[in-house]
Amino acid sequence: TTTTTTTTTTTTTTTTTFSCPAVPAASSLAVFLSFDAGTNASIPNQGTAAITASAANDAVILGNGLSGQAAFFPTGLSIVTMEPAGVPLSASGWTLSAWVKGLLPSSKYRTLFRGFETDGNHPVIIDVNTDTLGSWENGNQIFWPSGANVSALAADQWHHITAVGVANTTRFFINGTFVGVAAFQSTTSVYSIGNFIRGNQVFASAVDEVRIWSEPLSDSSVALMHSVILCQFYLAGLSVSTAAVTTTAPTTTVPTTTVPTTVPTTTTTTT
C-alpha cells in the first residue's frame, strides 16, 4: 500500500508604502522658489507665473536651507527680486508663504514681501520696535497690525510664515496656525522677497520654499500646505532643519499579497 499526503502552506508578502496629500490649489500656484536649482542670477520659478528670480546685493543661494538650499541675506541691501515686474496681487484674493530663519533685530522694519517700485505695499512686514506682524499700506503710510507678536520665535529654527489676502483683510499664520488678522489687503504686486527694494529692511537671515498663490487659501488648506511640505521632505529622505514644527508620519497603506505554495510530502508503506 502506498499513501501520498499533500500539504499546502501560504506565504504572505506585506509591502508598506507612504503617500502625501496633494498640494492645495496647485493650479493657482503662481510662484514656487525652492532655491535648489539655478544660480544667484537666475533662480527658476516652478509655478505658473512668467518670472525669473535673482539674488542681488550679496544675497546668495547656499546649502543649509530648510531642506536643500535657501536664499541668505548677509547685508542690509541683500534682496531677492522677481523679474521683470513681479506678480500681481488680485483684489479677489491671494496667498503668500515662505519659511524663514534668523529674524533680524526689531530696531528696523523687516519686510518679507514687497511690491514693485514706488506704488508697492508691504503685504508681510514686521513693525519696527514692536515685533508685530502685519502689512504696510504705502499710499497712506500706515502699518496695519495683525496682533501677532513674533519675538518668541527662536532665531536658530525655521518658521513657516503665511499671509492670506481676502475680503479686505490679511490673515496671518505661523507654522500652519492662524495667529491674527490685519484690516488691510494689498492689491498691488509682489516684486521683492526678504527685503525692501531700497534695502535696510531685511526680514531674516535666510528664506526658503517661497510660494505665492493667485487665490486665498482657507485656514484648513494653509494647515494642510504646512504638513504637505514636511511630508514631501520626509518621503524624499531629507532632513528638515527645524525644531519648531513636528513632522507627522505620512499616510500608511499596507497592501497584502497572498502567494499559495504547494509542498508535496510522500509517505510510502510497503506490505
Side-chain angles (χ1 to χ4, degrees), residues 74-88:
T75 74
L77 297 177
S78 299
I79 195 169
V80 171
T81 60
M82 294 185 290
E83 305 298 342
V87 293

Side-chain angles (χ1 to χ4, degrees), residues 35 40-41 43 53-61 71-83 111-115 117 122 191-205 207:
F35 301 107
N40 289 343
I43 304 163
S54 62
N57 300 338
D58 296 320
V60 62
I61 310 305
F72 287 82
F73 300 76
T75 74
L77 297 177
S78 299
I79 195 169
V80 171
T81 60
M82 294 185 290
E83 305 298 342
T111 293
L112 183 54
F113 295 102
R114 209 275 185 183
E117 294 298 343
H122 304 239
Y191 173 70
S192 66
I193 299 167
N195 199 354
F196 176 38
I197 192 170
R198 295 188 181 91
N200 295 316
Q201 292 184 15
V202 173
F203 192 85
S205 298
V207 175

Side-chain angles (χ1 to χ4, degrees), residues 17-165:
T17 61
F18 297 102
S19 62
C20 296
V23 175
S27 62
S28 65
L29 186 59
V31 174
F32 173 30
L33 305 177
S34 68
F35 301 107
D36 292 332
T39 64
N40 289 343
S42 180
I43 304 163
N45 176 30
Q46 296 170 254
T48 61
I51 61 98
T52 298
S54 62
N57 300 338
D58 296 320
V60 62
I61 310 305
L62 295 172
N64 299 317
L66 173 69
S67 197
Q69 297 186 139
F72 287 82
F73 300 76
T75 74
L77 297 177
S78 299
I79 195 169
V80 171
T81 60
M82 294 185 290
E83 305 298 342
V87 293
L89 297 181
S90 170
S92 62
W94 44 261
T95 303
L96 310 176
S97 171
W99 289 76
V100 302
K101 182 179 182 180
L103 292 178
L104 271 287
S106 62
S107 58
K108 297 179 180 179
Y109 286 105
R110 287 152 287 174
T111 293
L112 183 54
F113 295 102
R114 209 275 185 183
F116 186 68
E117 294 298 343
T118 58
D119 63 343
N121 298 312
H122 304 239
V124 181
I125 190 172
I126 300 174
D127 192 23
V128 62
N129 295 323
T130 70
D131 285 321
T132 301
L133 190 62
S135 302
W136 178 270
E137 182 184 1
N138 197 48
N140 291 316
Q141 295 290 290
I142 296 174
F143 173 74
W144 295 90
S146 70
N149 188 284
V150 298
S151 60
L153 297 183
D156 62 344
Q157 297 174 358
W158 285 94
H159 304 280
H160 190 194
I161 307 294
T162 304
V164 177

Side-chain angles (χ1 to χ4, degrees), residues 235-256:
L235 283 190
L238 300 174
S239 174
V240 179
S241 306
T242 174
V245 292
T246 301
T247 303
T248 303
T251 305
T252 305
T253 305
V254 184
T256 301

